[in-house]
Amino acid sequence: MRAAVLLCGDLESAAVWAARADGEVHVVPHLCERPEEIDSVLRPGQVDRLVLGLCSERGPNAEVQTSCRRLGIDPLGVEVMALGGVSPGPGRVLLAGAVARVKAFEGSRPENVKLVRPERVSRRSFLRLSAFANTSVPSVDPDTCAGDRGCRACIPACPREAIAWSRGRIRLDREACEPCGLCVTACPAGAIVQPTCTAAQLEAQVVAILSERAEEPTGIALVCDRSEPPETHEGWIPVRIPCVGMAPATWLLAPLLMGAGSVAVVPGERGCSPRAHAAVRDRVDFIRDVLRLAGDPEARMADGPDLERAPVPGAPASFAGNPFEPSTASAVIRSILGVRGPSGLSLPHPGSPLGLVRIRADACTGCGLCAGACPTGALLVDESEGAVEITFDARACVPCGQCIPRCPETIAGAITLVPAVDLERLGRGREPLYEGGTARCVACGGPIAPLAMIERVTKLLGTEHAPAAAVAAKYCMECRVSVPV
Amino acid sequence: MKSFPRDDAADGSGGTLARLRHGLYRFFAAGFLEPDGNRVAALRDVSAILSSHGLERFAFFGPWDRLVRTLRENCDARDVISEYALLFSSAVGRAVVSLHESDFTVPAGTPPGRVLADLEGDYAALRLGLLDHLSGRPDHVSVEMEAMAALCDREAEARRLRSPECTARTVAGERRFLDRHLGAWFPVVAERVGRSGAGGLYPTLVAAAHAFIVHDRELVSVLGGVAEDEGIQ
């Protein structure tokens, strides 16, 4: 993937950055005044990705995006950075991170593009048909989505009610979407993708930042797109995400495992949902508890005032794989806690990225609906000869809660879910939570239902319907029709 | 296919955009008909005309550009005919992907007749009449594309006549048609063609049509607002 950096010639340190950067860098006089003239600097097909270093913050620009398309560059993957007033050292680091991030951009689908509606369409802009810039919104992969199994985890996660189940699939209303990304990390199946903020991009950006800063203590600040970058000690490097509410607890731990000394979150100042802010607080508290249990200084999970001080030194990178990927959540937690934390640790916490399911054997009827609803396969049901078994793997549970409403015995407390980390259960791998027998048809020998379910249904039908219940307990659906009444 | 009109000051900018969209819908409608020897050459020529109208301003330009390059790279007519048959025609066994809306019914099991009845009702409500030779397949993608082209043409005329009410009504009709029909099922076609691993002209045609339809659905909701903007008709 070939990337180019275009720097506005009015930036004080543009020449310094251009001299020291790897890869293709162009210093363009007065780029800020005419950013759309990038196609006078680059040829079509010359590069696939682009970073623009400008003097001040810019929103999506229709003319820049048009120029990008002419050059064969997907405009959604372009990073536009405000570098006015940034010192040479930090600027070099920011640019390295931005280049790595755009190179990890995998492209967008048509569903990821949203027209940015201008507040007012002037006759002049409409005459040029260039009034409409585009921004990136998440899209749903119908092949990965577990909506057909009843999962609706994304719907309540959206603060704008932009997601609904409609005409047989989960659909995102791009008009209503103000891309915050909360649905992306709420989706337990990984079916919702925001192409400008993927696990691969975040990993690439953090690796590049830490590589540029080599041995210097570095803090990674996850900064909301809607907030102004805070004034910080130069050891803190911002990594922008659509909303800090989308960051699960493992994103806060990931930089620490990659070699950063500290991590912080900088929430947005306006237009953010209170629920997202509350979730962030829970996750920060969880991280602090985890770090304390691991014997790590709490300063590694920093707060606002801490950003004015140097971050603490980090440990060498110690994680194989991408710690931003949802599938590595259990490995991330065990990496932090497994060696240094107390053995037998069980930490229930609302900010936990993992969960624990318990099934009461005396209330469960073995129907397996919980396993059918589980989007990650943490719960599985096995119905082999004469038996039904429901198993659970704590490593795969992302406490989405989809299993709970599907259970017909919820009132009896047959199944419970707690957001929690339990090292022992994580270490056990898949374990049985329920085992029971299956009734067989006296006529054909085929399975009827779990014995516990038959017992439950018989009890519900009562004495008035006892004969019907007795037939249902002995014969399968097909053989039942031949039984004389 | 009628030639694409030049910018016309009397149309205004909104009318120009409507005529451009009319041309694109007609192009795609022709692209999904069963090919013959002349089809590819005609598509190539028309794509060049459409490209000269600054399509890089729009989000669907990437897939469009790839389609134009594929057409230019000398698609052999015989190859195109066999690609079409393998991908879309059930005459050679089970088609990989159908081009009929009634084959994408939701919920599954809904009778195709229900889809066709809804569609014909919507054509009637939009005052669109089917030509006799199309009445047997009103849900074919080319027919639905032609319906959108007709609505865009009507919109351009309404803007030319400076009739904001007619413009708004037509734009609302476009949005509704995309929501209920073409925009609802064509993305599934794109997904299935993408999964099929097929090469050649048609996957790029489908990708370009998909990107255009998705973009146009957004655009018509914005146009609805612009139609009422002062001085812009």
Side-chain angles (χ1 to χ4, degrees), chain A residues 309-330:
Chain A
R309 294 189 285 275
V312 299
S318 60
F319 191 81
N322 181 353
F324 287 100
E325 284 285 358
S327 57
T328 63
S330 125

mmCIF file of all heavy atoms in Angstrom, chain A residues 309-330:
data_model
loop_
_atom_site.group_PDB
_atom_site.id
_atom_site.type_symbol
_atom_site.label_atom_id
_atom_site.label_comp_id
_atom_site.label_asym_id
_atom_site.label_seq_id
_atom_site.Cartn_x
_atom_site.Cartn_y
_atom_site.Cartn_z
ATOM 1 N N ARG A 309 1.666 15.693 32.973
ATOM 2 C CA ARG A 309 2.947 15.139 33.452
ATOM 3 C C ARG A 309 3.406 14.068 32.476
ATOM 4 O O ARG A 309 2.625 13.501 31.714
ATOM 5 C CB ARG A 309 2.770 14.527 34.845
ATOM 6 C CG ARG A 309 2.447 15.527 35.919
ATOM 7 C CD ARG A 309 2.515 14.854 37.292
ATOM 8 N NE ARG A 309 1.371 13.997 37.537
ATOM 9 C CZ ARG A 309 0.195 14.417 38.017
ATOM 10 N NH1 ARG A 309 0.017 15.704 38.278
ATOM 11 N NH2 ARG A 309 -0.782 13.564 38.227
ATOM 12 N N ALA A 310 4.678 13.732 32.566
ATOM 13 C CA ALA A 310 5.212 12.687 31.694
ATOM 14 C C ALA A 310 4.549 11.357 32.028
ATOM 15 O O ALA A 310 4.301 11.056 33.196
ATOM 16 C CB ALA A 310 6.723 12.576 31.876
ATOM 17 N N PRO A 311 4.300 10.543 31.028
ATOM 18 C CA PRO A 311 3.777 9.209 31.308
ATOM 19 C C PRO A 311 4.846 8.364 31.988
ATOM 20 O O PRO A 311 6.041 8.649 31.880
ATOM 21 C CB PRO A 311 3.431 8.659 29.921
ATOM 22 C CG PRO A 311 4.215 9.477 28.964
ATOM 23 C CD PRO A 311 4.468 10.797 29.583
ATOM 24 N N VAL A 312 4.408 7.308 32.670
ATOM 25 C CA VAL A 312 5.377 6.425 33.321
ATOM 26 C C VAL A 312 6.043 5.564 32.256
ATOM 27 O O VAL A 312 5.503 5.371 31.163
ATOM 28 C CB VAL A 312 4.694 5.537 34.393
ATOM 29 C CG1 VAL A 312 4.063 6.411 35.470
ATOM 30 C CG2 VAL A 312 3.677 4.604 33.785
ATOM 31 N N PRO A 313 7.219 5.034 32.542
ATOM 32 C CA PRO A 313 7.880 4.174 31.547
ATOM 33 C C PRO A 313 7.073 2.903 31.326
ATOM 34 O O PRO A 313 6.429 2.377 32.239
ATOM 35 C CB PRO A 313 9.239 3.854 32.203
ATOM 36 C CG PRO A 313 9.430 4.912 33.240
ATOM 37 C CD PRO A 313 8.079 5.304 33.714
ATOM 38 N N GLY A 314 7.136 2.415 30.104
ATOM 39 C CA GLY A 314 6.404 1.208 29.779
ATOM 40 C C GLY A 314 7.302 -0.017 29.834
ATOM 41 O O GLY A 314 8.511 0.078 29.997
ATOM 42 N N ALA A 315 6.661 -1.179 29.717
ATOM 43 C CA ALA A 315 7.383 -2.451 29.665
ATOM 44 C C ALA A 315 7.518 -2.850 28.196
ATOM 45 O O ALA A 315 6.755 -2.384 27.359
ATOM 46 C CB ALA A 315 6.602 -3.508 30.444
ATOM 47 N N PRO A 316 8.469 -3.703 27.875
ATOM 48 C CA PRO A 316 8.591 -4.131 26.472
ATOM 49 C C PRO A 316 7.299 -4.795 26.003
ATOM 50 O O PRO A 316 6.581 -5.424 26.788
ATOM 51 C CB PRO A 316 9.747 -5.141 26.514
ATOM 52 C CG PRO A 316 10.493 -4.846 27.761
ATOM 53 C CD PRO A 316 9.514 -4.283 28.732
ATOM 54 N N ALA A 317 7.047 -4.648 24.718
ATOM 55 C CA ALA A 317 5.837 -5.247 24.136
ATOM 56 C C ALA A 317 5.840 -6.742 24.407
ATOM 57 O O ALA A 317 6.866 -7.416 24.250
ATOM 58 C CB ALA A 317 5.794 -4.977 22.638
ATOM 59 N N SER A 318 4.684 -7.248 24.846
ATOM 60 C CA SER A 318 4.665 -8.632 25.322
ATOM 61 C C SER A 318 3.471 -9.411 24.825
ATOM 62 O O SER A 318 3.091 -10.410 25.425
ATOM 63 C CB SER A 318 4.648 -8.629 26.859
ATOM 64 O OG SER A 318 3.491 -7.938 27.305
ATOM 65 N N PHE A 319 2.850 -8.961 23.763
ATOM 66 C CA PHE A 319 1.617 -9.636 23.353
ATOM 67 C C PHE A 319 1.744 -10.091 21.912
ATOM 68 O O PHE A 319 2.085 -9.309 21.040
ATOM 69 C CB PHE A 319 0.435 -8.666 23.510
ATOM 70 C CG PHE A 319 -0.904 -9.329 23.363
ATOM 71 C CD1 PHE A 319 -1.466 -10.011 24.437
ATOM 72 C CD2 PHE A 319 -1.597 -9.275 22.170
ATOM 73 C CE1 PHE A 319 -2.698 -10.625 24.313
ATOM 74 C CE2 PHE A 319 -2.832 -9.890 22.036
ATOM 75 C CZ PHE A 319 -3.383 -10.566 23.114
ATOM 76 N N ALA A 320 1.445 -11.344 21.678
ATOM 77 C CA ALA A 320 1.444 -11.870 20.309
ATOM 78 C C ALA A 320 0.037 -11.707 19.762
ATOM 79 O O ALA A 320 -0.907 -12.163 20.374
ATOM 80 C CB ALA A 320 1.838 -13.340 20.312
ATOM 81 N N GLY A 321 -0.079 -11.079 18.628
ATOM 82 C CA GLY A 321 -1.412 -10.834 18.091
ATOM 83 C C GLY A 321 -1.785 -9.370 18.270
ATOM 84 O O GLY A 321 -0.999 -8.567 18.788
ATOM 85 N N ASN A 322 -2.969 -9.029 17.843
ATOM 86 C CA ASN A 322 -3.433 -7.652 17.902
ATOM 87 C C ASN A 322 -4.351 -7.484 19.107
ATOM 88 O O ASN A 322 -5.482 -7.972 19.098
ATOM 89 C CB ASN A 322 -4.184 -7.304 16.603
ATOM 90 C CG ASN A 322 -4.686 -5.875 16.583
ATOM 91 O OD1 ASN A 322 -4.608 -5.152 17.587
ATOM 92 N ND2 ASN A 322 -5.193 -5.444 15.451
ATOM 93 N N PRO A 323 -3.906 -6.785 20.153
ATOM 94 C CA PRO A 323 -4.737 -6.675 21.357
ATOM 95 C C PRO A 323 -5.967 -5.798 21.177
ATOM 96 O O PRO A 323 -6.795 -5.725 22.082
ATOM 97 C CB PRO A 323 -3.782 -6.060 22.395
ATOM 98 C CG PRO A 323 -2.755 -5.346 21.588
ATOM 99 C CD PRO A 323 -2.631 -6.084 20.303
ATOM 100 N N PHE A 324 -6.101 -5.128 20.034
ATOM 101 C CA PHE A 324 -7.321 -4.369 19.771
ATOM 102 C C PHE A 324 -8.421 -5.258 19.188
ATOM 103 O O PHE A 324 -9.574 -4.857 19.121
ATOM 104 C CB PHE A 324 -7.048 -3.213 18.792
ATOM 105 C CG PHE A 324 -6.288 -2.076 19.400
ATOM 106 C CD1 PHE A 324 -4.927 -1.942 19.187
ATOM 107 C CD2 PHE A 324 -6.924 -1.128 20.180
ATOM 108 C CE1 PHE A 324 -4.207 -0.895 19.743
ATOM 109 C CE2 PHE A 324 -6.220 -0.074 20.745
ATOM 110 C CZ PHE A 324 -4.852 0.046 20.525
ATOM 111 N N GLU A 325 -8.067 -6.458 18.719
ATOM 112 C CA GLU A 325 -9.070 -7.345 18.141
ATOM 113 C C GLU A 325 -9.975 -7.897 19.246
ATOM 114 O O GLU A 325 -9.483 -8.345 20.279
ATOM 115 C CB GLU A 325 -8.402 -8.542 17.439
ATOM 116 C CG GLU A 325 -7.799 -8.198 16.088
ATOM 117 C CD GLU A 325 -8.844 -8.029 15.000
ATOM 118 O OE1 GLU A 325 -10.051 -8.223 15.277
ATOM 119 O OE2 GLU A 325 -8.467 -7.680 13.877
ATOM 120 N N PRO A 326 -11.290 -7.916 19.032
ATOM 121 C CA PRO A 326 -12.196 -8.423 20.073
ATOM 122 C C PRO A 326 -11.911 -9.874 20.439
ATOM 123 O O PRO A 326 -12.096 -10.275 21.583
ATOM 124 C CB PRO A 326 -13.594 -8.286 19.457
ATOM 125 C CG PRO A 326 -13.433 -7.691 18.120
ATOM 126 C CD PRO A 326 -12.006 -7.407 17.846
ATOM 127 N N SER A 327 -11.433 -10.664 19.485
ATOM 128 C CA SER A 327 -11.213 -12.092 19.757
ATOM 129 C C SER A 327 -10.066 -12.321 20.735
ATOM 130 O O SER A 327 -9.917 -13.426 21.257
ATOM 131 C CB SER A 327 -10.922 -12.831 18.447
ATOM 132 O OG SER A 327 -9.799 -12.247 17.808
ATOM 133 N N THR A 328 -9.258 -11.296 20.976
ATOM 134 C CA THR A 328 -8.117 -11.478 21.881
ATOM 135 C C THR A 328 -8.416 -10.977 23.287
ATOM 136 O O THR A 328 -7.513 -10.917 24.123
ATOM 137 C CB THR A 328 -6.872 -10.728 21.356
ATOM 138 O OG1 THR A 328 -7.156 -9.317 21.322
ATOM 139 C CG2 THR A 328 -6.490 -11.195 19.967
ATOM 140 N N ALA A 329 -9.683 -10.630 23.571
ATOM 141 C CA ALA A 329 -10.002 -10.010 24.866
ATOM 142 C C ALA A 329 -9.532 -10.864 26.039
ATOM 143 O O ALA A 329 -8.904 -10.369 26.979
ATOM 144 C CB ALA A 329 -11.509 -9.754 24.966
ATOM 145 N N SER A 330 -9.821 -12.143 25.983
ATOM 146 C CA SER A 330 -9.449 -12.999 27.122
ATOM 147 C C SER A 330 -7.935 -13.107 27.230
ATOM 148 O O SER A 330 -7.375 -13.081 28.338
ATOM 149 C CB SER A 330 -10.144 -14.349 26.951
ATOM 150 O OG SER A 330 -9.260 -15.402 26.983
#
